């Protein structure tokens, strides 16, 4: 495999970046810039913009476009920018894909349109072909259990035949299936681990890197986990995974669902003016924020 033909373009640890916005849905540019600088200094290799963690599907298209432009401007080529352009309506997804291409994203990504409706494999392939017709950027499929296939690897083999498609953000908690997917196309597939709590499992089974929600709060721990694994220090990699997982448990408990609300609250407590989760998600009260900070400090999160 030569460098020219390799699909493995994105490696390391990449936060699924939260989207800082105000009560009017306008992106908080200073907060984005501050987060980008902090993450790059901590060892993050790129950013996944306006995915589920970035609340993309719940934001106006204009906000998503503004967020991407802000990230691209702030990164300035010092890391990869992967833009999620999936939307419930295909024409919104097409518009976002065209915009991301013009705005300078390094790659396009999209969830399969399966959250409200179930589609056949032929229909899923056609969906990604449609997006591919509107970009000359690399494309990463975003696979979750909602994609609704018994085995993802055969579908991925078909998707790789679409010119721009180079790989997948694999957010399925089945590492036997992950390995089968990684072996598609003779291993020439850029496979990124999705579940935060099992990044080390994905790396052991051949993932090229990781994208995750809680990387927003612990970018240095995840970068060190990845570096330790690459250096063959499995014990150190395990330790960072276990440290991160204890924090993740707290974030999920305070968020009520997922980890976005508490992650945003924790970043606010660290001094980043990121705002709250998108309406109608509730916000943490003053007492809840104090309790969250206390628990996270005990686990090694620094708020100084």
């Amino acid at each position: 495999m030569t460098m020219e033909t390799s699909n493995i373009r994105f490696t390391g640890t990449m936060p699924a970046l939260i989207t800082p916005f105000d009560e009017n849905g306008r992106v908080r540019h200073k907060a984005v810039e501050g987060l980008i600088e902090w993450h790059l200094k901590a060892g993050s290799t790129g950013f996944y913009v306006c995915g589920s963690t970035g609340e993309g599907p719940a934001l106006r298209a204009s906000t998503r476009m503004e967020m991407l432009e802000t990230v691209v401007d702030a990164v300035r080529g010092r890391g990869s920018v992967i833009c999620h352009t999936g939307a419930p309506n295909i024409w919104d997804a097409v518009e976002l894909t065209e915009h991301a291409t013009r705005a300078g994203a390094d790659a396009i990504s999209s969830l399969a349109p399966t959250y409200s409706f179930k589609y056949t494999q032929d229909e899923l392939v056609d969906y990604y072909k449609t997006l591919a017709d509107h970009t000359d950027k690399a494309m990463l499929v975003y696979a979750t259990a909602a994609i609704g296939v018994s085995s993802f690897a055969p579908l991925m083999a078909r998707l790789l035949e679409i010119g721009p498609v180079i790989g997948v953000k694999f957010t399925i908690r089945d590492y036997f299936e992950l390995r089968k997917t990684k072996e598609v196309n003779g291993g020439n597939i850029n496979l990124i681990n999705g579940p935060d709590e099992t990044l080390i499992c994905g790396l052991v089974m051949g993932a090229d890197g990781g994208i995750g929600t809680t990387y927003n709060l612990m970018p240095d721990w995840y970068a060190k986990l990845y570096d330790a694994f690459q250096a063959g220090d499995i014990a150190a990699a395990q330790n960072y995974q276990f440290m991160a997982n204890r924090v993740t448990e707290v974030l999920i408990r305070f968020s009520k669902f997922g980890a976005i609300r508490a992650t945003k609250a924790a970043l606010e407590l660290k001094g980043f003016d990121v705002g709250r989760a998108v309406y109608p998600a509730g916000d943490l009260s003053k007492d809840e924020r104090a309790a969250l900070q206390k628990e996270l400090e005990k686990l090694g999160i620094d708020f100084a």
Side-chain angles (χ1 to χ4, degrees):
M1 186 188 310
T2 66
M3 291 298 294
E4 289 74 24
T5 60
S6 176
N7 283 329
I8 303 170
R9 304 183 197 176
F10 305 107
T11 61
T13 51
M14 296 163 276
L17 199 61
I18 58 97
T19 303
F21 52 83
D22 62 22
E23 60 277 5
N24 296 314
R26 294 302 307 271
V27 174
R28 295 182 174 182
H29 296 261
K30 292 296 184 183
V32 175
E33 292 164 4
L35 285 171
I36 295 294
E37 295 302 321
W38 180 51
H39 284 306
L40 290 173
K41 185 176 180 180
S44 298
T45 58
F47 303 91
Y48 192 87
V49 182
C50 288
S52 300
T53 301
E55 304 172 276
L59 296 174
R60 289 179 297 195
S62 59
T63 302
R64 295 173 68 169
M65 292 177 184
E66 184 183 4
M67 177 60 178
L68 175 63
E69 291 169 6
T70 305
V71 172
V72 170
D73 288 345
V75 172
R76 300 195 307 276
R78 294 173 293 167
S80 302
V81 178
I82 303 170
C83 184
H84 175 261
T85 63
N89 181 285
I90 182 60
W91 304 118
D92 289 338
V94 165
E95 183 180 11
L96 287 162
T97 296
E98 291 177 339
H99 172 264
T101 303
R102 295 192 305 270
D106 295 294
I108 307 299
S109 183
S110 177
L111 282 162
T114 53
Y115 279 92
S116 299
F117 306 98
K118 298 299 181 184
Y119 295 100
T120 67
Q121 289 198 30
D122 287 346
E123 290 166 337
L124 292 173
V125 170
D126 191 56
Y127 170 80
Y128 286 104
K129 282 182 177 178
T130 298
L131 294 189
D133 287 340
H134 293 270
T135 186
D136 59 0
K137 300 290 185 177
M139 288 179 58
L140 291 170
V141 177
Y142 184 170
T144 71
I147 204 162
V149 295
S150 59
S151 178
F152 181 73
L155 174 59
M156 191 67 228
R158 294 183 63 187
L159 293 171
L160 277 173
E161 294 176 359
I162 302 171
V165 175
I166 63 168
V168 56
K169 178 180 183 288
F170 194 91
T171 311
I172 300 173
R173 300 176 186 276
D174 181 341
Y175 287 91
F176 176 56
E177 192 66 33
L178 182 150
R179 184 60 206 172
K180 288 196 296 182
T181 302
K182 181 58 181 173
E183 291 175 354
V184 168
N185 198 34
N188 188 15
I189 173 175
N190 202 172
L191 193 149
I192 310 297
N193 185 79
D196 301 28
E197 304 91 329
T198 49
L199 171 58
I200 193 171
C201 303
L203 294 175
V204 167
M205 297 302 277
D208 302 304
I211 293 172
T213 302
T214 61
Y215 296 24
N216 280 282
L217 186 61
M218 302 172 279
D220 53 341
W221 290 2
Y222 283 106
K224 289 175 180 177
L225 187 166
Y226 178 84
D227 290 343
F229 180 83
Q230 296 301 316
D233 191 346
I234 303 303
Q238 284 181 315
N239 185 54
Y240 282 115
Q241 182 73 79
F242 300 155
M243 288 168 59
N245 285 1
R246 287 188 282 271
V247 171
T248 298
E249 286 183 304
V250 173
L251 295 173
I252 291 172
R253 175 156 46 84
F254 275 84
S255 294
K256 308 297 189 295
F257 178 78
I260 297 172
R261 299 178 201 185
T263 298
K264 279 194 160 182
L267 288 170
E268 287 255 323
L269 290 165
K270 286 180 70 70
F272 296 102
D273 185 24
V274 300
R276 56 175 290 172
V278 69
Y279 181 84
D283 200 4
L284 273 66
S285 68
K286 182 178 179 180
D287 288 344
E288 286 174 324
R289 286 176 180 245
L292 172 65
Q293 180 172 343
K294 185 176 181 179
E295 289 201 38
L296 293 178
E297 285 177 333
K298 288 180 180 179
L299 295 174
I301 300 299
D302 182 16
F303 290 92

